[in-house]
Amino acid sequence: MKGRLEVTALLAGRVTSVEVQPGQRVKEGQILARFFAGPEQASLERYQHEFELLLVQRMRDLTNEATSQALTSLRAEMELARFQLEQRLVRAPQAGVVSDVRIRRGQHLSEGEVVVALVQEDSPMEVIAMLPGGSRPLLTQGGRMRLELDGFQYQYQELIIDQVGDELVGPEEVRRYLGPELAESLTVNGAVVLVRAHAPSRFFEADGRRLAYFDGMQGTVDARVKTERIILTIIPGLKPLFH
């Protein structure tokens, strides 16, 4: 799904609550998940209590400069504590629809791990294919590909190539490109070229039914690169006679 945004954890911690579910629409800034924030909450409450006590002293004696300086210092400490407490919340960086929730309550996450994935409601679908590197000179934008999704044998979807990679990439580069979730389920041998094609719709037809594409679905792609007379395929020695 194009425009898919993975929201990651800013800090390591334990998930105390998951505030959204797949398919839910969220606004920018909305809380998606909460991490355990006991020490951060306790620090903020302590600073607030000390600030209130000093503020009372300051109101009793407006000439006390030491109290004034202490209030200024505490105010800065409170702002830092609020910032650290805010870091224990995961908020939506933009409005969208929750397409995937990767976490559960009580789970411990490391910094940078995916929490949820967001998409735009009208995001188009895109197919990324890995074709043999030797076919790169024969692949062109506007060419055709045929997709057969896993689990839907002989149900072919016709695609138009939008973009062909200018470089061949190896297995390690493909794994980095796809990310750890998808890379583990694929086996890549040798150099490949990455080809992108758009799906004409967010739905496909299979056995007379209208079904939806989902992010991460896999399948097999065939790309047409050239045509040849059947007789030349059977008897290659005749090729010099034809142009």
Side-chain angles (χ1 to χ4, degrees), residues 14-87:
R14 178 170 57 85
V15 180
T16 57
S17 69
V18 181
E19 305 291 327
V20 294
Q21 57 187 358
Q24 180 177 339
R25 294 179 178 86
V26 297
K27 299 178 180 178
E28 182 179 352
Q30 182 173 334
I31 296 176
L32 306 176
R34 301 175 187 269
F35 281 30
F36 177 70
E40 292 80 6
Q41 183 66 43
S43 295
L44 178 59
E45 291 176 356
R46 184 178 71 254
Y47 290 136
Q48 287 175 332
H49 180 66
E50 293 177 3
F51 186 85
E52 291 171 359
L53 293 177
L54 284 174
L55 188 60
V56 172
Q57 296 180 21
R58 173 64 173 167
M59 296 301 294
R60 290 175 179 171
D61 184 4
L62 298 178
T63 62
N64 191 329
E65 291 298 326
T67 303
S68 178
Q69 293 177 2
L71 283 172
T72 301
S73 177
L74 269 177
R75 188 177 288 110
E77 294 288 353
M78 281 195 302
E79 290 302 317
L80 177 60
R82 288 194 183 96
F83 173 78
Q84 292 174 335
L85 187 60
E86 177 65 25
Q87 296 295 97

Side-chain angles (χ1 to χ4, degrees), residues 35-230:
F35 281 30
F36 177 70
E40 292 80 6
Q41 183 66 43
S43 295
L44 178 59
E45 291 176 356
R46 184 178 71 254
Y47 290 136
Q48 287 175 332
H49 180 66
E50 293 177 3
F51 186 85
E52 291 171 359
L53 293 177
L54 284 174
L55 188 60
V56 172
Q57 296 180 21
R58 173 64 173 167
M59 296 301 294
R60 290 175 179 171
D61 184 4
L62 298 178
T63 62
N64 191 329
E65 291 298 326
T67 303
S68 178
Q69 293 177 2
L71 283 172
T72 301
S73 177
L74 269 177
R75 188 177 288 110
E77 294 288 353
M78 281 195 302
E79 290 302 317
L80 177 60
R82 288 194 183 96
F83 173 78
Q84 292 174 335
L85 187 60
E86 177 65 25
Q87 296 295 97
R88 312 309 291 173
L89 302 176
V90 180
R91 296 183 181 272
Q94 64 183 35
V97 178
V98 178
S99 68
D100 191 15
V101 177
R102 300 286 184 85
I103 60 172
R104 65 183 185 280
R105 183 179 178 184
Q107 181 180 356
H108 188 279
L109 293 184
S110 301
E111 180 181 351
E113 285 195 72
V114 177
V115 178
V116 302
L118 298 178
V119 297
Q120 299 300 315
E121 197 163 2
D122 56 350
S123 294
M125 306 302 292
E126 180 181 53
V127 174
I128 301 175
M130 295 170 291
L131 297 179
S135 64
R136 174 61 186 91
L138 302 173
L139 295 168
T140 59
Q141 183 179 359
R144 293 184 177 275
M145 294 198 309
R146 187 179 69 173
L147 169 66
E148 182 185 26
L149 292 169
D150 291 348
F152 299 92
Q153 193 174 19
Y154 306 125
Q155 304 292 317
Y156 301 112
Q157 319 301 324
E158 294 295 328
L159 308 172
I160 303 298
I161 295 176
D162 294 326
Q163 181 182 349
V164 183
D166 290 331
E167 298 180 354
L168 305 187
V169 295
E172 289 298 325
E173 186 64 27
V174 170
R175 279 191 280 270
R176 285 195 295 269
Y177 179 81
L178 296 178
E181 293 82 8
L182 292 178
E184 292 180 359
S185 61
L186 293 174
T187 300
V188 181
N189 297 315
V192 298
V193 58
L194 296 179
V195 178
R196 294 173 177 268
H198 70 274
S201 168
R202 294 183 63 172
F203 301 89
F204 64 96
E205 298 289 336
D207 296 325
R209 300 171 59 191
R210 188 170 182 261
L211 304 173
Y213 287 109
F214 288 92
D215 195 72
M217 294 180 73
Q218 297 179 23
T220 303
V221 160
D222 294 315
R224 179 178 295 175
V225 293
K226 62 182 179 179
T227 59
E228 187 174 63
R229 295 172 183 265
I230 294 178

